[in-house]
Amino acid sequence: MDAVEKRVRTFVRVKPTADFAQDMIKFGPDNKSIDIYIKKDAKKGVVNNRQTDWSFRLDGVLHNTSQELAYETVAEKLVSEALIGYNGTIMCYGQTGAGKTYTMMGATAEYKHRGIIPRVIQQVFKATAHSVRVRVSYLEIYNETLSDLLSTRTSSGTSDVPMAVVDCPQGVYVKGLSIHPVSHEEDALNLLFEGETNRAIAEHTLNKNSSRSHCIFTIYIESRFRVCSDVKCVNSKISLIDLAGSERLSKTRSEGQVLKEAMYINKSLSFLEQLIIALANPKRDHMPFRQSKLTHVLKDSLGGNCNTVLVANICGEAVHVEETLSSLRFATRMKWITTEPVINETYDREGTVKALEKEIILLKQELALHDSLVNRSLVTYDPLTDIQKAEIKSQVHKYLKGAIDEIDIVNIRQVQEVFKQFKLIASQQEHEVEARLRSKYALIDKNDFAAVAAVHKAGVVVVDGHLMQEENGRDLRTRTASFSSRHSGKKKSRKSNEQPKKEGIWTSPSGRDLVGFLPSKSQVINSTKDLDVREGARNQDTANIDTELSKPAPVEDSQRPSSPPSKPVAFEQFKEECGSEINRIFKENKSILLARKKRSTTVAQRINFIKREMEGIQKALEAQKQERWQQGEYVDEKGQIIIDEKEFSLIMKLKDLKEEYRSGYAELQDLKAEIQYCQRLVNQCRNKLISEFEIWYNESFLIPEDAREALKPGGNIRPGMIPINRVMCLEEDEQDRFERMQETTLPACPASVSFYRAKTKTDQKHAYTRTMSSLEKMHKKPGLITAAGKNKPLSFLHVM
Ligand SMILES: Nc1ncnc2c1ncn2[C@@H]1O[C@H](COP(=O)(O)OP(=O)(O)OP(=O)(O)O)[C@@H](O)[C@H]1O
């Protein structure tokens, strides 16, 4: 997808105050600009070049704005775009206590005051379908150390994988950061609140609950869908960044650990600023991403291929105007960073193949359903096996010979194979005929009158509208032959051309070449399920199967109170009832198989007989030749040998026998293929009969009555499933019941349920943890324990 160049969108949010410096901070009428005016410092004298007025133009100013409006302005569009595959980043920057955490997290005690992150989670889950995979991670950078706020690590902080920022072709990732799949809003909120309570917080003069770390809550969205036959994967992530606040050490009067934290924070923010300056300059080719952990982690979240939004949080009091100026400068620089958001989509070839396979299975099931509705229960749609192809070939040959009137076709593959066979035969015939003609005759263009006259003179016949000339008469005393006459059958052909002459006999070349498909008496088996064959012993018993089933039922069967019938007895019943159709097919296939075997024996015997007869004739011909040679040979005027009638009839007979032999041999080959195929069908039927019987036997006699009822169509379970009503009956505890009640009795804002549930869970969990640790500390001093947290009113947990 083509990227469209955009810029980072920047907003300024002013923390409400009763002491707003109206004369120093002014907003433009369109709410997109902010002017700062600082009075000249009289102490610096008359010559004072210090700038006193600044004007900043941004994408919006949020002043006295509710959390809801702030979200709509800053985040809603970005999240919508993330849902279609664009990465998005929202970052809050500003001096300490200016409202960054309030903007990102909000005051979590009250739903109305929840910040951007809980709202993003809500929007994501509102919009995503079940096929979308959502995961979250929560990273903290504290004093240049990466830590996982959702880690299951022990408090000692030991972890198998040391956390590190790693560059990869797709961007950067944090090695060792846990990423948690979440299936609904509440899950994600649980993790958010959980992580939030793990953040490093400290108190200083400007903020009682100052975040001492940079935190990045990331939501990964992965959706897959079909585009024609391809499976498209769209991946995106939304990075929600709450930076630690910059602070003037003099103002915050921090000391000790808090002072150390402040130094780290200021340093990393200063690297961030340098990076922003570099990113905003299109001429810069080196970007100092690696200067700090923060800038390195943000490598693919600032600009690049993502939608980026910055919220600069400022305080409205005059005393903070220097910091406000600094934040606005930062925002203005950010505004100059260009981005090229692109949809992160990939095609999953493996997924495509899987999806297609799934579709094939579905289509096959649909076909099977259709077949069973029209009583074509045994049709298969798999590619034809060699045996099936041989069977079709055999049917086509027989059809051409007139031995059968129809070719049984039940699916498209068979249609294609039949056509293929016809084509093959046609082209074989064409080549054979042409080769034979060429070996015997010279083909001359009939419009070439000179040539025609010449060949007429030499004794030529017209064959199928072409003039043909015999090249030589080596084999027999054949001079001319009406080729077309051979089409009407060899006997007729011979008769019509027989022009007995005293001095010799006219004969035609062998007609075998055109009779590749001599009528055969063999019968046809439907390659897949011709059950219409009426020959053979229809009532062949199923002795083999009976033997297999005569094994007694398992011991546990007999221990059952219902005492199921023995398998052989049950099998008889099965064949009469449910299994009657399979049994019928089995018997029919078996009878066809027997008939084929019988026919094959007959054909083999006949071939042997013909062979012996041919050998006899060959001997007789040899003797004739000897005799002719001894008596002296007759030759015509052209020097060609003239044979007598006896020898001629022997030759003709030998020719007929050869033909018969070939046709018998071909039939035998066909029969062999048929037998092989039939045998397979019989085996398949036998197995099917047994397996169906086993299922029927189990269902009828071994599965308990209530389970059988449930398994029936319309029953409440399918094999492998737990009845939903049983799942629903699983005991819920008091808390669950209470929460369910809350859900139904909170009609005013049903969307808040997940938020409150997650909040309650996290609070309970932490209250419990705190209580336990306090208890340990207090050593047998039970009483009232405080359970206070950031952005949360004090509450009390009674310890009994
Ligand atoms: N827009 C606002 N409306 C109401 N209260 C706000 C607003 N912004 C901030 N506050 C309040 O101001 C106090 C400080 O805000 P917050 O903790 O969000 O600041 P911060 O920028 O995150 O500070 P730090 O960088 O020190 O963590 C909080 O009590 C918060 O509830």
Side-chain angles (χ1 to χ4, degrees):
M1 180 160 290
D2 291 338
V4 181
E5 200 178 88
K6 287 183 174 181
R7 284 186 191 277
V8 170
R9 292 172 72 227
T10 50
F11 298 89
V12 62
R13 188 173 195 192
V14 189
K15 181 179 159 184
T17 172
D19 200 11
F20 185 71
Q22 291 178 17
D23 48 345
M24 296 176 94
I25 305 171
K26 299 225 184 308
F27 306 118
D30 59 353
N31 241 6
K32 286 190 174 179
S33 60
I34 180 165
D35 297 332
I36 307 284
Y37 173 74
I38 300 178
K39 283 185 194 149
K40 282 192 179 173
D41 191 346
K43 284 180 203 160
K44 297 207 169 151
V46 188
V47 184
N48 185 350
N49 291 331
R50 221 186 130 194
Q51 189 182 350
T52 53
D53 295 302
W54 291 265
S55 188
F56 301 94
R57 191 150 184 87
L58 305 153
D59 291 284
V61 176
L62 307 169
H63 186 216
N64 288 331
T65 311
S66 68
Q67 291 284 63
E68 190 177 359
L69 185 59
Y71 181 75
E72 283 168 11
T73 316
V74 167
E76 204 168 62
K77 185 162 175 258
L78 179 141
V79 176
S80 305
E81 295 194 345
L83 289 166
I84 56 165
Y86 292 100
N87 288 342
T89 300
I90 303 174
M91 184 164 77
C92 285
Y93 175 95
Q95 84 175 97
T96 184
K100 297 179 293 299
T101 307
Y102 183 82
T103 301
M104 268 301 162
M105 269 307 288
T108 51
E110 227 185 307
Y111 181 66
K112 201 170 77 172
H113 294 146
R114 70 200 191 285
I116 287 176
I117 305 180
R119 287 171 197 266
V120 171
I121 291 173
Q122 192 170 44
Q123 191 182 340
V124 166
F125 279 100
K126 245 190 202 166
T128 52
H130 290 292
S131 57
V132 174
R133 192 156 80 118
V134 181
R135 295 174 303 150
V136 299
S137 68
Y138 207 171
L139 174 75
E140 178 179 55
I141 305 170
Y142 173 71
N143 290 0
E144 273 304 276
T145 308
L146 300 167
S147 62
D148 183 351
L149 291 175
L150 302 179
S151 148
T152 46
R153 287 184 296 174
T154 55
S155 52
S156 66
T158 48
S159 162
D160 296 343
V161 194
M163 291 180 68
V165 189
V166 180
D167 284 279
C168 70
Q170 289 78 34
V172 286
Y173 73 96
V174 179
K175 196 171 93 183
L177 178 67
S178 62
I179 300 179
H180 302 255
V182 279
S183 45
H184 37 78
E185 186 188 343
E186 196 183 317
D187 275 359
L189 288 172
N190 272 333
L191 291 172
L192 173 69
F193 295 148
E194 177 75 45
E196 196 59 17
T197 50
N198 295 334
R199 277 188 80 168
I201 291 162
E203 184 177 338
H204 57 68
T205 327
L206 294 183
N207 191 357
K208 269 191 161 197
N209 288 308
S210 177
S211 314
R212 314 306 291 161
S213 58
H214 309 295
C215 280
I216 305 174
F217 186 82
T218 309
I219 304 174
Y220 308 83
I221 305 164
E222 186 185 316
S223 40
R224 288 165 167 259
F225 42 88
R226 289 281 299 275
V227 178
C228 299
S229 56
D230 285 325
V231 173
K232 196 162 97 169
C233 308
V234 176
N235 296 296
S236 58
K237 66 173 181 176
I238 307 172
S239 305
L240 303 160
I241 306 162
D242 180 9
L243 296 172
S246 56
E247 58 193 74
R248 290 242 176 130
L249 304 180
S250 56
K251 273 190 183 173
T252 54
R253 293 198 292 276
S254 305
E255 298 170 339
Q257 178 66 15
V258 182
L259 177 67
K260 189 181 157 197
E261 287 167 354
M263 285 159 76
Y264 269 111
I265 294 168
N266 287 350
K267 199 169 163 194
S268 65
L269 288 174
S270 134
F271 285 136
L272 178 66
E273 194 153 3
Q274 286 173 24
L275 175 67
I276 298 305
I277 293 169
L279 285 169
N281 180 357
K283 287 183 188 144
R284 281 283 291 263
D285 47 6
H286 172 71
M287 300 300 156
F289 282 113
R290 284 166 167 268
Q291 289 192 106
S292 69
K293 293 273 184 341
L294 176 69
T295 48
H296 200 182
V297 167
L298 295 183
K299 190 173 172 184
D300 61 0
S301 305
L302 294 175
N305 83 338
C306 82
N307 287 313
T308 308
V309 172
L310 174 86
V311 180
N313 292 90
I314 58 166
C315 296
E317 293 92 352
V319 66
H320 296 308
V321 74
E322 286 290 338
E323 286 84 352
T324 297
L325 259 179
S326 158
S327 297
L328 291 171
R329 277 192 205 109
F330 182 88
T332 316
R333 283 180 192 132
M334 274 290 273
K335 217 181 126 193
W336 287 104
I337 299 177
T338 52
T339 66
E340 282 182 10
V342 282
I343 290 183
N344 303 292
E345 58 185 24
T346 50
Y347 285 90
D348 174 7
R349 298 290 160 213
E350 209 175 299
T352 302
V353 171
K354 277 192 187 140
L356 287 175
E357 278 171 357
K358 213 166 146 190
E359 192 166 314
I360 289 170
I361 291 169
L362 268 176
L363 289 173
K364 279 186 176 177
Q365 283 170 349
E366 194 130 312
L367 262 179
L369 183 75
H370 170 78
D371 286 337
S372 70
L373 289 175
V374 292
N375 275 338
R376 302 192 330 154
S377 54
L378 284 177
V379 182
T380 63
Y381 296 94
D382 296 328
L384 298 177
T385 62
D386 288 347
I387 298 172
Q388 284 170 324
K389 285 181 188 167
E391 167 57 22
I392 289 174
K393 183 177 175 187
S394 160
Q395 285 203 41
V396 169
H397 278 255
K398 284 171 189 164
Y399 177 78
L400 284 171
K401 288 179 216 163
I404 54 172
D405 297 329
E406 286 175 2
I407 296 173
D408 297 293
I409 289 170
V410 288
N411 61 35
I412 293 293
R413 288 189 203 274
Q414 287 184 345
V415 174
Q416 286 170 341
E417 188 61 27
V418 165
F419 277 113
K420 203 172 129 193
Q421 289 301 330
F422 273 122
K423 198 172 166 187
L424 205 72
I425 290 168
S427 84
Q428 272 171 4
Q429 270 192 349
E430 211 170 279
H431 283 106
E432 276 179 32
V433 171
E434 198 177 318
R436 198 166 282 269
L437 289 174
R438 284 195 187 283
S439 73
K440 275 277 180 211
Y441 303 101
L443 299 182
I444 294 167
D445 184 355
K446 63 182 175 185
N447 297 323
D448 185 348
F449 298 111
V452 172
V455 294
H456 265 302
K457 232 178 162 186
V460 168
V461 293
V462 175
V463 178
D464 279 352
H466 294 280
L467 290 173
M468 294 186 172
Q469 184 179 35
E470 193 176 1
E471 278 183 338
N472 61 56
R474 291 184 306 276
D475 307 319
L476 296 169
R477 299 188 62 218
T478 305
R479 298 292 300 272
T480 59
S482 167
F483 181 73
S484 56
S485 65
R486 272 178 274 151
H487 282 287
S488 54
K490 57 186 175 180
K491 292 226 165 111
K492 191 178 165 209
S493 150
R494 206 181 298 134
K495 266 186 196 156
S496 62
N497 287 292
E498 269 175 16
Q499 293 175 27
K501 286 186 187 171
K502 281 221 171 142
E503 65 275 26
I505 295 165
W506 292 89
T507 183
S508 68
S510 163
R512 172 74 185 103
D513 53 349
L514 292 180
V515 200
F517 323 106
L518 289 178
S520 153
K521 274 134 203 107
S522 92
Q523 284 187 317
V524 183
I525 296 177
N526 181 338
S527 59
T528 49
K529 80 239 38 35
D530 180 20
L531 301 176
D532 256 357
V533 175
R534 299 281 175 255
E535 65 162 317
R538 281 185 169 275
N539 296 321
Q540 289 290 325
D541 65 320
T542 47
N544 297 347
I545 300 170
D546 287 345
T547 321
E548 275 183 57
L549 296 171
S550 61
K551 295 170 204 156
V555 182
E556 57 272 26
D557 290 356
S558 57
Q559 286 167 351
R560 284 178 188 268
S562 54
S563 64
S566 75
K567 282 197 171 178
V569 173
F571 186 57
E572 287 310 313
Q573 189 191 341
F574 173 71
K575 282 192 292 183
E576 292 298 314
E577 297 165 11
C578 310
S580 64
E581 180 65 4
I582 311 172
N583 191 37
R584 183 183 70 79
I585 295 163
F586 173 70
K587 280 178 174 178
E588 284 189 352
N589 280 341
K590 207 166 169 193
S591 74
I592 294 166
L593 176 65
L594 286 174
R596 289 294 168 279
K597 283 185 174 169
K598 215 166 140 192
R599 172 75 190 150
S600 157
T601 317
T602 316
V603 173
Q605 281 167 354
R606 173 134 187 80
I607 289 174
N608 286 336
F609 175 77
I610 295 170
K611 208 176 159 208
R612 282 196 296 277
E613 231 187 317
M614 277 163 50
E615 283 164 3
I617 291 176
Q618 251 153 1
K619 271 186 195 158
L621 266 174
E622 233 5 82
Q624 279 285 325
K625 244 189 202 167
Q626 280 295 72
E627 196 185 319
R628 178 163 32 92
W629 190 70
Q630 279 165 6
Q631 286 175 2
E633 289 176 328
Y634 289 96
V635 226
D636 67 4
E637 65 278 3
K638 284 192 176 162
Q640 286 182 335
I641 298 162
I642 295 168
I643 58 169
D644 66 10
E645 264 185 74
K646 194 178 167 194
E647 192 175 341
F648 178 74
S649 76
L650 279 173
I651 291 170
M652 292 311 292
K653 190 150 185 219
L654 183 63
K655 203 151 74 77
D656 286 348
L657 281 172
K658 273 187 185 168
E659 220 162 76
E660 218 179 318
Y661 179 84
R662 275 190 222 113
S663 115
Y665 187 79
E667 190 184 348
L668 193 64
Q669 293 302 110
D670 289 348
L671 279 166
K672 274 188 187 161
E674 284 175 7
I675 287 167
Q676 220 180 345
Y677 178 64
C678 284
Q679 187 66 59
R680 234 191 62 183
L681 280 185
V682 167
N683 293 344
Q684 276 175 356
C685 284
R686 179 184 291 118
N687 294 341
K688 177 102 178 137
L689 193 57
I690 293 171
S691 61
E692 292 285 311
F693 166 71
E694 290 293 348
I695 294 168
W696 174 83
Y697 187 83
N698 278 339
E699 283 184 3
S700 307
F701 304 114
L702 305 181
I703 297 175
E705 182 61 36
D706 59 339
R708 231 173 27 236
E709 280 303 314
L711 278 164
K712 278 182 185 168
N716 59 0
I717 56 171
R718 282 188 283 115
M721 273 179 64
I722 301 169
I724 191 72
N725 51 4
R726 277 187 217 162
V727 175
M728 297 310 282
C729 292
L730 287 176
E731 286 209 350
E732 56 180 357
D733 61 17
E734 281 301 313
Q735 182 63 29
D736 290 339
R737 224 167 284 157
F738 170 72
E739 280 167 10
R740 230 150 42 84
M741 196 184 75
Q742 262 191 326
E743 267 176 51
T744 47
T745 52
L746 270 176
C749 187
S752 66
V753 171
S754 298
F755 181 86
Y756 281 121
R757 282 172 73 140
K759 183 86 189 78
T760 311
K761 264 187 200 162
T762 316
D763 286 352
Q764 278 171 354
K765 198 171 156 191
H766 288 278
Y768 176 80
T769 319
R770 273 195 299 273
T771 304
M772 293 318 283
S773 64
S774 300
L775 263 182
E776 272 170 26
K777 279 183 205 158
M778 288 169 75
H779 296 296
K780 298 177 205 155
K781 274 175 78 185
L784 291 171
I785 310 289
T786 58
K790 190 184 181 190
N791 295 328
K792 188 172 64 177
L794 288 178
S795 63
F796 293 93
L797 178 73
H798 287 271
V799 181
M800 305 303 289

